[in-house]
Amino acid sequence: MTLNYYLAEHPTIVNFRWSPTQSYASTWSFLFTAVSSYIIAAVTLHLLLLIILSLCNRRRGFSLGPIPALHSLTISIISAVIFVGILLSAAAEIRDTRWLWRRTRTTALQWFLCFPVGTRASGRVFFWSYAFYLSRFLHLFRTFFSVIRRRKLSFFQLINQSSLLCISFLWLEYSQSFQVVAILLTTVSYAVVYGYRFWTEIGLRGACFPFVVNCQAILLGCMTVCHVGVLCIHLVKRGGCNGIGAWLFNSVLNAVITLLYLKFYCKTRSMMTKVQG
């Protein structure tokens, strides 16, 4: 009862409303500034380290001590809290609005994938969507860790992090359908993946297969199936789904991320095959 109250029934959660005047980091100008600053800072840091390391004749990057491990643990815990919070909140929303669904013949599964037209970004579910959006800023630090420790700046990482930040903003700005399922799938994946990263970063033995890569592949596969489900419901349901324009943009970004990831995945598998051979 206490857990349900603090994660789904607390007045702050129930009365939440996405608004440029009430919510931090909720304006387009902030989003554009954050994304551009992130890319510029990452590229600048990468170039500076290349110059410094070449002057010092140093091939390896710098150690960050326990910072990456603590970062992974923090994201794992936050992701687990968001997963439980949005799951309890979704159950509460279904309980409170089921009477309205009978008029429109909407099922719980349809609501998870397709919000009714006219849905506003307020209430329990959108509070946790906002928490997920803010948590995306923590993920950006992973790029800087990679640059400092491995002297590596991945184009895929820059595009992936920037796109996911924009997508989570669009979920709130346009009360986009599909976001409940997307957050549930993403947060449970992050809780596992970053928990595993914490496990390996403190020196414990990792899996004998590319655990993180496989988890990301499963997540992208599930997301693709859910996107198809949203499209089918939108075409069949009277009135369609809310925020379908933002969903189309979301789908394009996800397609780009998936293609880049498949390229990275094939490259990783090829390198592993050569090492084993």
Side-chain angles (χ1 to χ4, degrees), residues 12-20 22-23 26 93 115-130 168-177 179 242-243:
T12 303
I13 297 175
V14 176
N15 299 323
F16 171 79
R17 181 184 178 187
W18 169 260
S19 169
Q22 299 179 15
S23 308
S26 60
E93 291 292 338
F115 288 152
V117 174
T119 300
R120 296 184 178 182
S122 61
R124 303 178 182 90
V125 166
F126 288 98
F127 172 86
W128 290 109
S129 180
Y130 178 58
S168 58
F169 178 88
L170 292 176
W171 288 349
L172 289 157
E173 186 69 13
Y174 294 102
S175 305
Q176 184 189 311
S177 298
Q179 62 179 285
N242 198 68

Side-chain angles (χ1 to χ4, degrees), residues 31-190:
L31 178 66
F32 291 142
T33 302
V35 172
S36 58
S37 298
Y38 160 68
I39 294 174
I40 292 172
V43 173
T44 302
L45 178 63
H46 178 63
L47 294 176
L48 285 175
L49 281 178
L50 286 179
I51 295 173
I52 293 172
L53 293 175
S54 62
L55 292 175
C56 298
N57 291 323
R58 183 187 178 104
R59 294 184 178 181
R60 300 179 62 183
F62 298 97
S63 174
L64 292 173
I67 294 177
L70 293 174
H71 177 263
S72 295
L73 179 61
T74 301
I75 291 184
S76 179
I77 293 173
I78 291 175
S79 298
V81 171
I82 294 175
F83 173 81
V84 176
I86 198 168
L87 187 64
L88 293 175
S89 295
E93 291 292 338
I94 292 172
R95 179 198 66 210
D96 294 345
T97 57
R98 187 182 294 274
W99 63 273
L100 183 61
W101 296 355
R102 294 172 184 171
R103 299 180 182 179
T104 58
R105 297 180 180 179
T106 301
T107 64
L109 178 60
Q110 289 176 331
W111 179 82
F112 269 105
L113 293 173
C114 178
F115 288 152
V117 174
T119 300
R120 296 184 178 182
S122 61
R124 303 178 182 90
V125 166
F126 288 98
F127 172 86
W128 290 109
S129 180
Y130 178 58
F132 180 82
Y133 165 62
L134 293 180
S135 72
R136 289 301 323 168
F137 289 94
L138 282 176
H139 290 259
L140 302 183
F141 287 100
R142 187 119 195 129
T143 301
F144 299 104
F145 295 161
S146 179
V147 171
I148 295 172
R149 293 197 299 177
R150 304 187 185 94
R151 300 191 309 165
K152 183 179 179 181
L153 180 61
S154 169
F155 174 75
F156 168 73
Q157 194 172 32
L158 283 177
I159 296 299
N160 183 52
Q161 297 287 13
S162 300
S163 298
L164 292 175
L165 184 60
C166 293
I167 287 171
S168 58
F169 178 88
L170 292 176
W171 288 349
L172 289 157
E173 186 69 13
Y174 294 102
S175 305
Q176 184 189 311
S177 298
F178 168 72
Q179 62 179 285
V180 176
V181 173
I183 293 173
L184 285 170
L185 291 173
T186 305
T187 50
V188 72
S189 174
Y190 285 165

